[in-house]
Amino acid sequence: MKHIRNFCIIAHIDHGKSTLADRLLQATNTISEREMMDQVLDDMDLEREKGITIKSKAIQLNYKHTDNQEYILNLIDTPGHVDFSYEVSRALAACEGALLLVDATQGIQAQTISNLYLAIENDLEIIPVINKIDMDGAMIDEVKDQIIELIGCKDEDILLASGRTGLGIEGVLGAIVDRIPAPTGDAEAPLQALIFDSVFNSFRGIIVYYRILNGTIKKGDKVKFVSTDQEYEADEIGILKLKMTEKKEVKAGDVGYIITGIKNAKEVKVGDTITLVNNPTPEQIKGFEEVKPMVFAGIYPVNTDEFEELRDCMDKLQLNDASLTYELETSQALGFGFRCGFLGMLHMEIIQERLEREFNQTVITTVPNVSFVAHKTNGETVQVNNPTEFPDPVKTESIEEPFIRAQIITKPDYIGNIMTLCLGKRGMLINQSYLTTTRVELIFELPLTEIVFDFYDKLKSQTRGYASFDYHPIGMRQADIAKMDILLNGDKVDALSALIHRSRAQDFGRKLCEKLKELLPRQQFQIAIQAAIGAKVIARENISAMRKDVTAKCYGGDISRKRKLLEKQKEGKKRMRQIGNVEVPQEAFLAVLKLDD
């Protein structure tokens, strides 16, 4: 066991984690030249297209150190985007050390700090690496100073490398062996393994990835998942190379997989403990923190018959993405669906894409929102998760919305921009302090509703990416929240309803009506698009009628023949307006998410 090292790579988005992982795989000959490609660990199409890592990936490397000893290195490549920080926290729980990667041209950025704090909380050994040192704009000395200031290490502890050219890779591998402690654990103790990921395979059932803290698991063992109390037989166990490699046994300190033929997704929970039936562990491993969704939205199948199929797909997707939470919901306009909780807007977009690509599910997503608490006049308290549950305003005493305490770390140059942004979002500045001469920390109290939509994107663009944002809930506060309905020719479309602060309603309603006017197809009758709070209409747009050319088949002849056809059309139009039903395309539901303030 003393020859095993478990480590992960953490960094801000685009600092070169996956490229460095490629070089490590090449340097240790884990992967042949024929199989080599860029970002070899990003095996999802979406990851390659967007150039981001979405899923943490584990892989085992064999490395011969200068002391002629063979070492086993278990590497986990983690995502950099803030929406996937839950993936990072799970990867850290399975490691003893972390490579903290900093881009030589960018310096320390937002997610670098957040991920570093996560690693320190988990007591990991941190190896700072400056990447991209071959670039023209590399500021090696400045970045070194920033790192020393941040973690208080010595100058010689910082490694220099280039993921693109492979410079300094040997030094990184050597440092991993020398500095990261070997896993501690007892191979003879009762089995205690932490599940950190799982994936659904249509031929083998659910494949569970785990890290063994104590004990040994052998093929054919009877195992038990502690929190669900289910027992299974280990049909196949092994380690994770580029492909899964079968082994007879996996010992303490190692990372591996197990296939038990489980078909039901509910039986596997990330953070659960695996143990043996005949020699169970007395205590469950303390799992990771519970996931806290920020954004709630409804996901509905386009055809209501496909609901059961969508439920299956959501189960399978949740296996692979533990930060997704969902529960059943119904809507008048869209039928049966799910109320889902996401970590952010990018997370929501990725889930929707994955449902379409991996499971061929075309879905409609409703307007995202957060949970409110309504106090009725009869003393009853109601939790409001979506606009349809909003109680009648006449019977409502008060509404409370969730507030958060936000911590933003940035450069002093951007303080003005951030102030404008947060105060515009109904925020209050609580504190401002300088951590160093080039880093300032701002603490705000903000309503969660305001940061749901595009707060991250705005914050990033206002600060050129030099801002880290972290938050935690601080309870509910009273607010003037109203339910805004969208009416098409007088009919409510409940999927477009939104819960919004009254001061914002008119502006938001007007923008939404304008957007829908662009997106709804023209009909042969006029369509009125209205935004209303209760009975009061606060915005309106009209889509004028499209005239069908009924006289096209008339070649010449008397004018009265044409007039007769037009009169007939006029009659039909009257009837049409009375029963006119408006088809709402899927883009209209998505348009709401793209509204700019």
Side-chain angles (χ1 to χ4, degrees):
M1 209 164 88
K2 61 177 186 291
H3 297 136
I4 297 177
R5 299 288 183 272
N6 296 315
F7 71 101
C8 59
I9 307 179
I10 54 175
H12 188 79
I13 193 165
D14 265 351
H15 278 205
K17 292 177 294 300
S18 300
T19 314
L20 186 79
D22 291 350
R23 294 297 86 76
L24 293 173
L25 294 178
Q26 269 182 317
T28 53
N29 297 324
T30 305
I31 182 169
S32 64
E33 285 302 321
R34 191 167 61 87
E35 293 172 305
M36 191 62 212
M37 54 182 171
D38 282 347
Q39 295 161 314
V40 72
L41 293 179
D42 292 349
D43 52 6
M44 223 187 284
D45 294 346
L46 261 178
E47 294 182 309
R48 297 186 163 280
E49 280 169 30
K50 293 185 182 285
I52 56 174
T53 304
I54 294 167
K55 285 290 303 164
S56 298
K57 285 295 296 227
I59 189 164
Q60 193 172 91
L61 326 171
N62 292 61
Y63 170 63
K64 204 167 184 145
H65 195 33
T66 42
D67 58 7
N68 273 337
Q69 186 64 54
E70 186 90 16
Y71 284 88
I72 293 173
L73 312 179
N74 290 312
L75 151 71
I76 302 181
D77 179 26
T78 66
H81 196 282
V82 65
D83 276 14
F84 307 112
S85 57
Y86 191 62
E87 285 286 326
V88 182
S89 74
R90 288 172 20 212
L92 293 170
C95 294
E96 275 86 31
L99 294 182
L100 179 72
L101 219 56
V102 182
D103 185 331
T105 59
Q106 304 275 351
I108 284 179
Q109 281 187 293
Q111 241 17 61
T112 319
I113 299 173
S114 311
N115 289 341
L116 171 70
Y117 289 157
L118 276 176
I120 291 171
E121 274 170 35
N122 282 309
D123 289 336
L124 298 196
E125 178 63 39
I126 290 159
I127 302 177
V129 180
I130 298 181
N131 193 20
K132 306 192 188 181
I133 54 166
D134 58 319
M135 301 273 281
D136 294 340
M139 314 173 290
I140 297 170
D141 293 335
E142 289 98 314
V143 176
K144 266 190 180 176
D145 293 343
Q146 286 181 14
I147 294 176
I148 291 167
E149 213 167 282
L150 185 68
I151 24 187
C153 60
K154 296 191 183 70
D155 194 316
E156 58 270 20
D157 292 345
I158 301 172
L159 305 175
L160 302 178
S162 163
R164 196 178 55 174
T165 59
L167 263 172
I169 296 299
E170 267 308 315
V172 172
L173 285 165
I176 290 166
V177 171
D178 297 337
R179 294 200 218 165
I180 293 177
T184 54
D186 182 357
E188 304 306 316
L191 175 69
Q192 199 183 27
L194 173 75
I195 299 178
F196 67 87
D197 207 352
S198 53
V199 60
F200 184 81
N201 180 312
S202 42
F203 304 109
R204 312 295 309 267
I206 291 165
I207 302 169
V208 175
Y209 299 147
Y210 55 81
R211 152 80 200 277
I212 301 186
L213 301 188
N214 289 306
T216 306
I217 186 169
K218 296 187 177 69
K219 188 175 175 172
D221 275 350
K222 272 280 224 234
V223 296
K224 180 169 114 177
F225 288 13
V226 178
S227 72
T228 53
D229 212 24
Q230 300 275 1
E231 297 180 5
Y232 309 98
E233 192 168 310
D235 299 339
E236 183 185 314
I237 58 166
I239 55 166
L240 301 158
K241 291 281 198 184
L242 191 60
K243 306 260 186 307
M244 293 185 297
T245 311
E246 200 173 342
K247 282 268 196 269
K248 287 276 183 288
E249 63 174 16
V250 182
K251 291 189 169 165
D254 227 335
V255 174
Y257 71 91
I258 177 170
I259 298 175
T260 56
I262 307 174
K263 290 283 187 284
N264 183 0
K266 292 272 181 285
E267 294 173 28
V268 179
K269 285 192 170 61
V270 165
D272 196 0
T273 306
I274 307 177
T275 187
L276 293 177
V277 173
N278 54 13
N279 183 9
T281 176
E283 63 187 78
Q284 191 172 349
I285 302 166
K286 296 282 177 282
F288 335 106
E289 58 190 86
E290 275 298 295
V291 57
K292 46 179 183 189
M294 286 181 67
V295 182
F296 295 92
I299 285 188
Y300 294 87
V302 172
N303 297 332
T304 38
D305 323 345
E306 290 171 7
F307 170 70
E308 284 302 325
E309 205 178 314
L310 179 64
R311 184 203 295 249
D312 263 7
C313 299
M314 294 293 277
D315 279 349
K316 289 170 187 168
L317 193 54
Q318 193 179 30
L319 273 177
N320 198 237
D321 185 346
S323 48
L324 169 69
T325 55
Y326 65 91
E327 57 193 40
L328 284 175
E329 179 182 68
T330 52
S331 147
Q332 293 161 357
L334 303 171
F336 287 105
F338 296 98
R339 188 94 198 136
C340 304
F342 308 97
L343 294 181
M345 295 299 276
L346 176 69
H347 186 207
M348 178 170 144
E349 200 180 306
I350 297 289
I351 292 288
Q352 203 174 335
E353 280 272 327
R354 286 185 70 182
L355 279 170
E356 289 191 10
R357 290 182 185 212
E358 293 171 32
F359 303 103
N360 288 330
Q361 290 290 319
T362 328
V363 293
I364 291 174
T365 314
T366 63
V367 188
N369 67 328
V370 302
S371 294
F372 297 93
V373 171
H375 298 286
K376 290 184 161 183
T377 43
N378 61 5
E380 208 182 318
T381 302
V382 192
Q383 178 104 5
V384 182
N385 280 330
N386 64 356
T388 46
E389 295 169 6
F390 198 75
D392 183 353
V394 181
K395 298 176 183 164
T396 313
E397 183 81 36
S398 63
I399 305 279
E400 291 183 343
E401 64 176 342
F403 260 70
I404 56 152
R405 187 183 181 87
Q407 172 203 33
I408 299 171
I409 298 174
T410 184
K411 288 185 161 185
D413 322 6
Y414 304 120
I415 293 177
N417 295 0
I418 291 177
M419 292 275 202
T420 314
L421 174 67
C422 292
L423 297 175
K425 297 275 186 191
R426 300 192 285 131
M428 288 180 293
L429 179 66
I430 303 299
N431 193 7
Q432 174 181 341
S433 56
Y434 280 82
L435 303 174
T436 68
T437 48
T438 55
R439 303 222 157 264
V440 62
E441 177 188 56
L442 301 166
I443 306 238
F444 283 95
E445 286 184 0
L446 287 153
L448 186 54
T449 338
E450 296 289 341
I451 66 165
V452 160
F453 273 100
D454 50 1
F455 184 77
Y456 279 143
D457 309 345
K458 289 248 169 74
L459 182 67
K460 291 285 181 224
S461 56
Q462 297 279 3
T463 59
R464 299 190 191 163
Y466 280 99
S468 73
F469 173 75
D470 199 23
Y471 81 100
H472 56 266
I474 52 170
M476 311 292 281
R477 294 189 187 172
Q478 202 163 322
D480 188 7
I481 300 290
K483 177 186 174 190
M484 189 183 78
D485 292 310
I486 295 292
L487 310 172
L488 296 180
N489 277 354
D491 294 335
K492 281 186 191 172
V493 183
D494 67 345
L496 288 173
S497 298
L499 296 173
I500 190 160
H501 196 268
R502 206 177 289 271
S503 63
R504 286 287 170 87
Q506 192 156 4
D507 197 29
F508 184 73
R510 191 174 298 125
K511 284 194 177 132
L512 190 47
C513 289
E514 282 167 13
K515 194 80 176 171
L516 287 171
K517 184 179 179 180
E518 288 168 28
L519 289 166
L520 292 178
R522 285 175 69 187
Q523 308 284 351
Q524 290 180 38
F525 52 89
Q526 185 184 7
I527 303 173
I529 307 169
Q530 294 166 306
I533 293 178
K536 183 184 175 194
V537 175
I538 52 173
R540 172 178 175 138
E541 290 286 336
N542 286 335
I543 299 179
S544 50
M546 174 177 66
R547 186 169 132 187
K548 188 175 176 187
D549 190 1
V550 285
T551 57
K553 59 177 187 276
C554 253
Y555 296 109
D558 194 70
I559 183 73
S560 57
R561 291 180 62 194
K562 285 190 179 178
R563 195 164 289 138
K564 181 180 153 198
L565 289 169
L566 292 170
E567 288 296 326
K568 201 169 161 190
Q569 181 185 29
K570 205 168 172 185
E571 281 300 309
K573 285 244 172 124
K574 259 187 199 154
R575 235 185 11 258
M576 213 180 226
R577 190 173 305 129
Q578 288 157 9
I579 56 164
N581 201 354
V582 187
E583 289 264 306
V584 183
Q586 192 181 343
E587 289 77 55
F589 294 107
L590 301 180
V592 192
L593 321 182
K594 305 275 190 293
L595 278 185
D596 256 354
D597 276 1

